[in-house]
């Protein structure tokens, strides 16, 4: 019976080829035999038409013994020179057959990995189809592949080896579907090296995205192979690769002109010349992220920014030894920059931020983040707000010299500012925030204050309290000095709040929270009260009664005074609630039963983690919520593994964390 499998065809060809080679070896040299094969006479005869394998019925032990003896006497495939086997393997048709060939031995895998997609010999389609042949359609071929046909692959930890990377490249060599590869970490002894990258480059020339995270054995040679083969590369992320230097980046710049996004982090070998080359050659570059590269300084950053001035839209610089000069270049040449992040730049001073703003080049800047930059002062921040007219989001973290003095000027100058985030800026106080809200534009929507020691109760409220009707989102997290008195003032000045996050405010009680609830006119949608351990059922009941028709997200994690009474109020008043977090609350099986009985309540996510009073008695009630529940957290309680297994069958659509 004939077989149309490409794998059988390859094995038949190899068998015949070895036989021919053995015959010729007695009469002529091996080079003459190779020339005869290389002429294509044998190859075209074998690969032109699929032949069916004959099946003989072997009778008796003598025939079997004779057959085995004959196979033993035949030449071994290991005797074939690499050049001959290369010619055989590059004629293998189809991903399934290539994968099967790659599984024979490491030698075959290595040879297949060295075959470029352009070097593979494709069989010509017959002019008239042979109806006696059996064909595999494209869909069947996909199902039988040894590797997934996904366009993205990730190799992580112990799975990140040259062999796996090579196998993926071999399986995709004739298909061209693999366009994104991420290598995260590396096998401790057989990690990814230049050989793996070389195989990937040869097998996947259509690659558009490559990420190498903590791959210490990859060098410039591997990166040069990618640059030489993958000319369509658009995104390159190199993190924790100490052996990659400017030489590798120069190769990428010359070979990948379509590069749009470049991330270099923790690469001690990268300096300035590579960044300059990227700026000169990659005219489409839009995103640059350079972090913790000790040898990158003003020359590299300035050269990159100057050359890519027309396209560069997003820039992140962190942990670099750049000075005020680089910020001046950004301010003058960053005409297309819309998102700018400056973090841990110890040498940059006040003059750098002032010059950057006054250079008038950041007219399109919409989002700016400054983290741990001691050079940012009130003067520099006020200049940024004044000369960056498109600024919508301003995020300041660990900027110890920023104080109340500039907030009023920022509010007046930033005409379209929508979001202000201040974290660990201890000179900012509640008085400064009130002054900002009194002068902010009608487009201002969100303010976030986190871990600011200066945000605490004020002795007396100002004579004129601002009313910020545009504010929709308020976040005050982990500010230990913020108590009921301050919260009552906030409620008075923000009547249109929709999202409230008071996480970590352990000093807030019902007396401060109730006025905020009453003053909210538009209806609260998302409320996070994580860690507000002094709030009781009275506050939750008042919240859901006043805003139950709009409330969609409620988090009460760590509110140890919340009991089943709150769940009863929620089940009666809420009809839009989709996410409810009751972690570490004093709720019990009765409360779970009440929630499950509320027909109008369609919870998608429910967390009962750490609720010690929730036991196996809650299993039937949780099972009855199968129509809507998508996520359920049951960690650290007394339901038991057997009951969890039962729930998994009932809630088969739900992700259960236990």
């Amino acid at each position: 019976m004939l077989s149309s499998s490409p794998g059988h065809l390859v094995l038949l060809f190899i068998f015949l080829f070895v036989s021919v080679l053995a015959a010729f070896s007695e009469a002529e040299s091996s080079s003459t035999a190779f020339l005869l094969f290389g002429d294509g006479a044998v190859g075209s005869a074998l690969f032109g038409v699929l032949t069916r394998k004959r099946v003989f019925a072997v009778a008796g032990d003598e025939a079997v013994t004779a057959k085995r003896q004959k196979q033993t006497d035949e030449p071994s495939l290991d005797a074939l020179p690499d050049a001959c086997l290369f010619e055989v393997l590059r004629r293998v048709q189809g991903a399934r057959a290539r994968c099967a060939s790659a599984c024979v031995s490491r030698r075959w895998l290595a040879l297949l990995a060295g075959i470029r997609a352009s070097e593979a010999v494709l069989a010509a389609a017959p002019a008239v189809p042979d109806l006696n042949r059996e064909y595999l359609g494209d869909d069947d071929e996909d199902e039988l592949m040894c590797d997934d046909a996904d366009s993205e692959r990730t190799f992580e930890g112990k799975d990140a080896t040259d062999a796996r990377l090579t196998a993926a490249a071999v399986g995709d060599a004739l298909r061209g579907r693999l366009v994104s590869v991420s290598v995260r970490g590396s096998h401790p002894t057989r990690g990814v090296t230049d050989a793996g990258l070389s195989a990937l480059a040869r097998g996947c020339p259509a690659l558009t995205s490559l990420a190498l995270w903590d791959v210490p054995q990859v060098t410039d040679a591997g990166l040069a192979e990618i640059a030489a083969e993958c000319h369509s590369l658009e995104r390159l992320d190199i993190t924790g690769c100490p052996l990659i230097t400017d030489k590798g980046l120069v190769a990428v710049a010359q070979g990948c002109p379509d590069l749009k996004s470049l991330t270099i982090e923790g690469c001690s070998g990268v300096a300035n010349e590579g960044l300059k080359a990227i700026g000169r050659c990659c005219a489409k570059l839009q995103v640059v992220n350079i972090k913790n590269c000790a040898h990158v300084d003003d020359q590299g950053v300035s050269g990159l920014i100057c050359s890519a001035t027309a396209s560069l839209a997003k820039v992140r610089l962190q942990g670099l030894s750049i000075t005020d000069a680089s910020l001046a270049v950004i301010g003058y040449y960053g005409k297309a920059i819309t998102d700018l992040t400056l973090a841990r730049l110890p040498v940059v001073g006040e003059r750098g931020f002032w010059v950057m703003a006054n250079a008038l080049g950041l007219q399109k800047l919409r989002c700016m983040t400054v983290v741990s930059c001691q050079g940012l002062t009130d003067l520099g921040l006020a200049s940024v707000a004044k000369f960056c007219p498109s600024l919508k989001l301003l995020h300041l973290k660990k900027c110890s010299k920023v104080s109340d003095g500039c907030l009023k000027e920022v509010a007046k100058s930033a005409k379209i500012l929508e979001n202000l985030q201040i974290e660990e800026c201890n000179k900012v106080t509640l008085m400064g925030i009130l002054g900002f809200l009194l002068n902010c534009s009608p487009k201002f929507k969100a303010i976030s204050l986190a871990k600011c020691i200066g945000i605490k109760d004020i002795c007396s409220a100002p004579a004129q309290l601002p009313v910020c009707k545009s504010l929709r989102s308020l976040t005050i997290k982990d500010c230990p000095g913020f108590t009921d008195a301050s919260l009552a003032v906030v409620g008075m000045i923000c009547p249109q709040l929709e999202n409230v996050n008071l996480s970590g405010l352990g000093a807030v009680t019902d007396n401060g929270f109730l006025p905020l609830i009453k003053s909210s006119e538009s209806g609260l949608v998302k409320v996070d009260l994580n860690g507000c351990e002094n709030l009781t059922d009275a506050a939750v009941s008042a919240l859901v009664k006043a805003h139950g028709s709009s409330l969609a997200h409620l988090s009460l994690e760590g509110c140890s005074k919340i009991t089943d009474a709150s769940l009863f109020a929620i089940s009666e008043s809420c009809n839009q609630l989709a996410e409810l977090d009751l972690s570490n609350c004093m709720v019990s099986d009765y409360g779970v039963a009440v929630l499950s009985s509320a027909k109008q309540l369609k919870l998608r996510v429910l967390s009962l983690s750490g609720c010690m009073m929730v036991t196996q008695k809650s299993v039937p009630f949780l099972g009855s919520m199968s129509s809507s529940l998508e996520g359920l957290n049951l960690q650290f309680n007394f339901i038991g593994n057997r009951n969890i297994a039962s729930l998994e069958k009932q809630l088969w659509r739900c992700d259960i964390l236990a």
Side-chain angles (χ1 to χ4, degrees):
M1 178 178 179
L2 290 177
S3 171
S4 63
S5 169
H8 292 161
L9 175 63
V10 172
L11 294 178
L12 177 60
F13 177 83
I14 293 173
F15 173 76
L16 293 176
F17 177 77
V18 173
S19 301
V20 172
L21 182 64
F24 275 91
S25 63
E26 297 178 359
E28 300 180 15
S29 65
S30 60
S31 60
T32 305
F34 176 71
L35 289 174
L36 177 60
F37 173 76
D39 188 48
V42 178
S44 60
L46 290 175
F47 280 97
V49 180
L50 285 173
T51 58
R52 297 178 179 269
K53 183 174 64 175
R54 302 178 183 271
V55 179
F56 296 94
V58 181
D61 295 337
E62 295 181 358
V64 174
T65 304
K67 183 178 180 180
R68 290 178 178 175
Q69 183 64 33
K70 182 179 179 181
Q71 292 176 349
T72 303
D73 296 339
E74 291 177 353
S76 171
L77 291 179
D78 292 335
L80 284 174
D82 286 348
C84 295
L85 192 54
F86 179 89
E87 290 295 330
V88 174
L89 293 177
R90 77 188 188 97
R91 288 170 168 79
V92 176
Q93 302 297 315
R96 181 193 181 194
R98 290 177 64 87
C99 288
S101 302
C103 294
V104 172
S105 67
R106 290 184 178 274
R107 182 189 177 204
W108 284 39
L109 177 62
L111 288 173
L112 281 165
I115 302 174
R116 294 182 174 88
S118 59
E119 294 174 337
V121 178
L122 301 178
V128 179
D130 185 358
L131 299 180
N132 292 322
R133 295 175 55 187
E134 299 175 2
Y135 288 95
L136 280 176
D138 293 339
D139 296 338
D140 298 328
E141 184 80 10
D142 292 346
E143 294 176 359
L144 294 172
M145 282 186 62
C146 64
D147 287 300
D148 296 334
D150 296 337
S151 61
E152 300 181 4
R153 293 293 303 272
T154 298
F155 304 88
E156 190 168 359
K158 293 183 179 180
D159 291 335
T161 63
D162 278 344
R164 289 184 178 273
L165 197 60
T166 301
V170 168
D172 188 69
L174 296 181
R175 304 166 57 82
R177 293 187 181 181
L178 187 60
V179 297
S180 177
V181 172
S182 297
V183 181
R184 302 176 181 177
S186 190
H187 191 282
T189 58
R190 304 188 303 274
V192 172
T193 66
D194 293 339
L197 283 190
S198 178
L200 180 66
R202 291 171 181 266
C204 306
L207 197 69
T208 60
S209 177
L210 176 64
L212 303 174
W213 296 356
D214 300 320
V215 190
Q217 299 181 61
V218 169
T219 70
D220 293 333
L223 204 58
E225 287 288 338
I226 295 291
E229 303 291 341
C230 306
H231 301 297
S232 300
L233 192 69
E234 296 180 355
R235 177 182 174 271
L236 179 62
D237 185 342
I238 307 173
T239 300
C241 299
L243 299 183
I244 290 180
T245 68
D246 286 341
K247 184 178 179 181
L249 288 183
V250 170
V252 170
Q254 295 173 349
C256 307
D258 294 335
L259 192 69
K260 296 180 180 179
S261 176
L262 175 66
T263 296
I264 305 175
E265 179 177 356
C267 297
S268 56
V270 173
N272 297 321
E273 296 304 320
L275 296 181
K276 290 181 181 179
I278 292 289
R280 289 193 304 267
C281 302
C282 302
K284 299 179 181 180
L285 191 65
Q286 298 175 2
V287 180
V288 168
N289 188 350
I290 307 173
K291 300 171 60 177
N292 306 325
C293 296
H295 296 97
V296 172
D297 55 29
D298 288 332
Q299 291 187 17
V301 173
S302 299
L304 176 63
I305 299 295
C306 290
S307 301
T309 182
S311 60
L312 200 55
K314 185 175 182 179
V315 177
R316 179 183 178 92
L317 305 176
Q318 175 176 323
L320 306 178
S321 299
I322 61 175
T323 67
D324 296 342
S326 292
L327 265 64
V329 171
I330 292 173
Y332 187 81
Y333 289 98
K335 301 182 185 302
I337 294 179
T338 60
D339 192 333
L340 176 62
T341 298
L342 305 172
R344 293 196 296 107
L345 305 177
V347 187
V348 173
E350 180 184 60
R351 182 177 62 178
F353 284 96
W354 186 88
V355 172
M356 181 181 71
N358 282 267
L360 302 180
L362 297 176
Q363 299 296 301
K364 295 183 179 181
L365 184 64
R366 294 198 300 264
C367 304
M368 181 174 179
T369 299
V370 183
V371 180
S372 298
C373 290
Q374 304 304 314
L376 182 64
T377 62
D378 290 345
L379 176 62
L381 186 58
S383 298
V384 168
K386 182 177 181 180
F387 296 110
C388 299
S390 301
L391 192 63
K392 292 185 176 182
L393 186 150
L394 180 61
H395 181 196
L396 308 174
K397 181 178 180 180
K398 294 184 179 180
C399 297
S400 58
K401 295 184 179 180
V402 173
S403 66
D404 295 340
C406 68
L407 293 182
K408 183 177 179 180
E409 293 299 322
V410 169
K412 289 182 177 180
S413 302
K415 302 295 185 181
I416 63 173
L417 187 67
E418 297 178 356
N419 194 327
L420 176 63
Q421 302 173 12
I422 301 177
E423 184 175 356
E424 297 185 66
C425 298
N426 296 327
K427 289 188 176 181
V428 175
T429 69
L430 193 56
M431 289 296 294
I433 297 300
L434 293 177
F436 175 88
L437 294 177
L438 185 62
N439 294 277
C440 67
S441 71
K443 296 185 178 181
F444 189 70
K445 297 178 181 179
I447 188 168
S448 175
L449 308 171
K451 300 180 181 179
C452 296
I453 298 177
I455 302 297
K456 53 187 177 182
D457 292 345
I458 53 180
C459 299
S460 58
Q464 182 183 4
L465 279 176
V467 178
C468 188
K469 292 186 177 182
S470 63
L471 193 66
R472 296 293 184 269
S473 178
L474 171 68
T475 299
I476 304 177
K477 297 174 56 179
D478 301 317
C479 297
F482 194 88
T483 64
D484 290 341
S486 302
L487 190 57
V489 173
V490 169
M492 295 171 60
I493 64 180
C494 305
Q496 300 295 327
L497 286 177
E498 296 178 357
N499 302 326
V500 175
N501 188 341
L502 304 178
S503 300
L505 301 185
V508 170
T509 67
D510 295 353
N511 294 331
F513 188 62
L514 290 174
L516 177 66
I517 296 172
K518 295 178 181 178
S519 62
S520 298
E521 300 174 358
S522 61
L524 295 174
V525 177
K526 183 177 180 180
V527 177
D528 287 333
L529 301 173
N530 300 342
C532 296
E533 54 191 17
N534 286 312
L535 291 180
T536 67
D537 292 328
V540 176
S541 299
L543 171 64
V544 298
K545 287 179 181 179
H547 304 280
S549 60
S550 61
L551 192 63
H553 173 102
L554 176 60
S555 180
L556 301 171
E557 180 182 357
C559 299
S560 55
K561 295 184 179 181
I562 300 302
T563 68
D564 294 337
S566 294
L567 301 190
F568 186 80
I570 290 173
S571 65
E572 280 193 332
S573 304
C574 294
N575 52 31
Q576 299 294 327
L577 191 63
E579 300 181 21
L580 177 61
D581 190 347
L582 300 169
S583 301
N584 300 311
C585 293
M586 297 301 292
V587 298
S588 68
D589 298 328
Y590 174 74
V592 176
V594 170
L595 279 180
S596 65
S597 64
K599 302 301 181 183
Q600 83 285 357
L601 196 60
K602 302 296 181 182
L603 285 177
R604 291 190 298 104
V605 180
L606 174 63
S607 177
L608 298 170
S609 175
C611 298
M612 298 303 181
M613 298 173 65
V614 175
T615 67
Q616 66 272 15
K617 296 180 181 179
S618 295
V619 172
F621 307 118
L622 292 172
S624 65
M625 304 171 69
S626 59
S627 61
S628 62
L629 210 56
E630 299 175 3
L632 179 61
N633 188 347
L634 297 177
Q635 292 180 307
F636 312 115
N637 50 39
F638 295 102
I639 290 183
N641 294 333
R642 180 177 299 179
N643 294 310
I644 294 295
S646 175
L647 268 179
E648 289 177 343
K649 295 180 180 179
Q650 298 179 60
L651 304 174
W652 58 274
R653 296 181 180 178
C654 179
D655 292 329
I656 300 179
L657 185 62

